[in-house]
């Protein structure tokens, strides 16, 4: 998956670096001030590893999951990015349209409201589908019940996206006084909790769509 997590929302593919222009940074500002000007995405490194793998796997490279920056890239830029990575020999089939925009501190001014995200994401998805018909795009939806309104808005007519992305982490620390029983209970019932949340999201906002669990974990 490239770029991973929150950094995908800052990624500037043209320079393989990161940006924060017009960004509502929220709690991430201190991190950005330290790292955003110096961190590289290292797309060339992924390209080199992919080329190496093709040599030892009969021409088959890595299966790639991409996360595109809806905060900064419009339709034309997103298509250009996809073609650039294809020209590098990388697989471009599955694309998430941003990372966790249900959190306000991961949105730029271009995606400030749910309706803004819908407009930008639909434009990007339509352009990608037109230029690269085999590409599948996913939108990130929230599993928390108070995120229902946001999910409903960005899903729109449910036609512009091919799948939905859900991020879910479960668990608690059994070493904390008074929390041991709850921690082990949540660990043993994690499968049921995950299934319940995934079904709630899909059934209510994207019936029949595939679910991409690109971030998840269970810990105790």
């Amino acid at each position: 998956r490239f770029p991973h997590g929150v950094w995908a929302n800052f990624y500037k593919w043209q320079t393989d670096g990161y940006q924060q222009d017009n960004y509502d940074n929220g709690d991430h500002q201190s991190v950005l001030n330290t790292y955003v000007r110096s961190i590289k995405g290292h797309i060339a490194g992924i390209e080199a590893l992919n080329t190496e793998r093709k040599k030892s796997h009969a021409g088959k490279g890595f299966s790639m999951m991409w996360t595109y920056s809806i905060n900064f890239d419009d339709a034309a830029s997103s298509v250009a990015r996809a073609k650039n990575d294809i020209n590098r020999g990388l697989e471009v089939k599955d694309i998430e349209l941003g990372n966790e925009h249900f959190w306000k501190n991961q949105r730029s001014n271009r995606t400030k409201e749910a309706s803004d995200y819908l407009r930008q994401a639909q434009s990007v998805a339509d352009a990608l589908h037109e230029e690269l018909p085999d590409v599948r795009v996913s939108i990130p939806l929230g599993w928390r019940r108070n995120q229902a309104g946001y999910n409903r808005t960005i899903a729109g007519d449910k036609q512009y996206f091919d799948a939905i992305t859900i991020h879910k982490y479960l668990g608690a620390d059994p070493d904390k006084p008074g929390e041991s029983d709850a921690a082990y209970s949540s660990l043993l019932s994690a499968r049921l909790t995950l299934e319940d949340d995934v079904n709630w999201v899909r059934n209510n906002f994207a019936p029949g769509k595939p679910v991409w669990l690109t971030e998840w974990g269970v810990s105790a």
Side-chain angles (χ1 to χ4, degrees):
R1 181 176 178 225
F2 181 86
H4 178 72
V6 64
W7 293 109
N9 290 332
F10 308 104
Y11 185 66
K12 187 173 184 178
W13 69 270
Q14 295 91 336
T15 63
D16 192 40
Y18 293 85
Q19 58 194 330
Q20 58 173 313
D21 306 351
N22 299 315
Y23 200 81
D24 177 12
N25 299 300
D27 296 335
H28 299 294
Q29 185 61 59
S30 61
V31 177
L32 290 170
N33 289 344
T34 303
Y35 295 111
V36 78
R37 293 180 180 85
S38 59
I39 289 181
K40 302 293 288 184
H42 296 295
I43 189 66
I46 295 175
E47 179 184 357
L49 289 170
N50 192 63
T51 299
E52 181 180 325
R53 190 181 194 279
K54 284 183 175 180
K55 292 178 180 178
S56 60
H57 288 75
K60 182 173 176 56
F62 293 113
S63 296
M64 297 289 296
M65 171 71 70
W66 302 89
T67 310
Y68 277 20
S69 176
I70 303 302
N71 282 335
F72 298 109
D73 289 325
D74 59 14
S77 179
S78 296
V79 169
R81 176 181 175 182
K83 290 182 176 180
N84 178 69
D85 289 322
I86 290 172
N87 289 336
R88 289 176 177 271
L90 295 163
E91 175 190 271
V92 181
K93 292 182 179 179
D94 299 317
I95 299 173
E96 297 176 317
L97 301 182
N99 179 80
E100 299 188 4
H101 284 85
F102 41 79
W103 298 125
K104 290 185 177 181
N105 61 10
Q106 293 202 33
R107 306 176 195 173
S108 73
N109 288 334
R110 292 179 74 242
T111 57
K112 188 174 183 180
E113 303 297 336
S115 57
D116 297 325
Y117 173 90
L118 172 62
R119 182 173 59 256
Q120 301 295 344
Q122 186 162 6
S123 175
V124 168
D126 289 347
L128 287 169
H129 284 139
E130 182 176 353
E131 291 287 332
L132 303 164
D134 292 335
V135 163
R136 299 180 298 180
V137 300
S138 174
I139 61 171
L141 296 178
W143 53 265
R144 297 164 183 81
R145 303 314 187 253
N146 62 0
Q147 293 168 331
Y150 177 84
N151 289 346
R152 191 173 297 110
T153 297
I154 72 165
D157 63 5
K158 304 179 179 63
Q159 300 302 310
Y160 75 94
F161 57 94
D162 305 290
I164 57 175
T165 290
I166 297 176
H167 294 168
K168 174 73 176 180
Y169 294 92
L170 303 93
D173 186 353
D175 294 326
K176 288 186 177 179
E179 295 186 14
S180 180
D181 289 348
Y184 288 117
S185 176
S186 66
L187 175 68
L188 294 171
S189 61
R191 180 179 63 85
L192 300 177
T193 302
L194 181 60
E195 181 181 39
D196 181 62
D197 287 340
V198 167
N199 285 338
W200 178 79
V201 175
R202 177 163 49 189
N203 294 342
N204 283 286
F205 310 109
K209 300 282 187 179
V211 174
W212 297 355
L213 290 171
T214 52
E215 287 188 36
W216 71 279
V218 179
S219 63

